[in-house]
């Protein structure tokens, strides 16, 4: 019997469903389509992930780095310029840059930006410190590059003038800010004031466009 089976041969047995490398039936096509849909959903989900995912967290850290980099640059320019003015320009004649339209003239300002409110030095010092704290807390939810630049300008300017309030005469919290940029017919100011104003203008523009610090855009 065994010899007869060997001579005649055993008929081919079709492979069981799923054992072959490919299936051409309707079930296999549906399975492949479902697999492709799952891959597309996974890819789109990774791209649209919210602030809690790793990618957005990395972007948030980069925006925070931009904020503090802008703040450091603004603060450094303000501090260095004031040191030069105190050493070279204070108690000297003003320097004309563009005729009498723009000159450098060193003064000590106990008030707010552009010489306003000299009787409230301590209050302005507290306000500057509060602004710094608010910006530092807001930075944790920062995902917008324009907002990072704007807040960095505000932070650098606030730190620049706060440094004068704390370490210059007549004393702590009452120090006079060094101002030296004197346009014709306008108040004398410094680079910290300029950074604060530029940051404030940028924030207003971003608010008008509906861009929030977390990167979302809304239309009222």
């Amino acid at each position: 019997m065994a010899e007869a089976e060997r001579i005649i041969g055993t008929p081919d047995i079709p492979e069981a469903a799923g054992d072959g490398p490919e299936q051409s039936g309707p079930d296999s096509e549906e399975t492949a389509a479902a697999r492709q849909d799952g891959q597309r959903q996974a890819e789109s989900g990774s791209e649209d992930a919210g602030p809690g995912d790793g990618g957005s967290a990395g972007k948030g850290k980069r925006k925070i780095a931009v904020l503090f980099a802008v703040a450091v640059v603004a603060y450094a320019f303000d501090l260095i310029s004031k040191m030069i003015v105190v050493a070279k320009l204070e108690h000297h004649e003003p320097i004309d840059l563009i005729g009498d339209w723009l000159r450098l003239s060193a003064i000590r300002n106990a008030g707010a930006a552009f010489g306003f409110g000299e009787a409230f030095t301590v209050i302005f010092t507290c306000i500057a410190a509060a602004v710094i704290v608010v910006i530092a807390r807001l930075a944790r939810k920062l995902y917008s590059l324009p907002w990072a630049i704007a807040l960095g300008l505000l932070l650098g300017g606030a730190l620049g003038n706060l440094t004068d309030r704390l370490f210059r005469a007549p004393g702590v919290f009452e120090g006079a800010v060094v101002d030296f940029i004197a346009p014709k017919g306008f108040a004398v100011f410094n680079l910290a004031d300029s950074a604060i104003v530029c940051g404030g203008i940028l924030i207003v523009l971003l608010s008008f466009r509906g861009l929030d610090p977390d990167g979302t855009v809304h239309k009222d």
Side-chain angles (χ1 to χ4, degrees), residues 111-136:
F114 308 110
F116 299 115
E118 294 186 3
F120 303 98
T121 305
V122 176
I123 296 177
F124 291 132
T125 303
C126 295
I127 292 175
V131 168
I132 294 171
V133 173
V134 170
I135 293 175

Side-chain angles (χ1 to χ4, degrees), residues 23-36:
Q23 296 180 2
S24 58
D27 293 341
S28 63
E29 294 178 356
E30 292 177 359
T31 303
R35 186 181 301 110
Q36 292 177 358

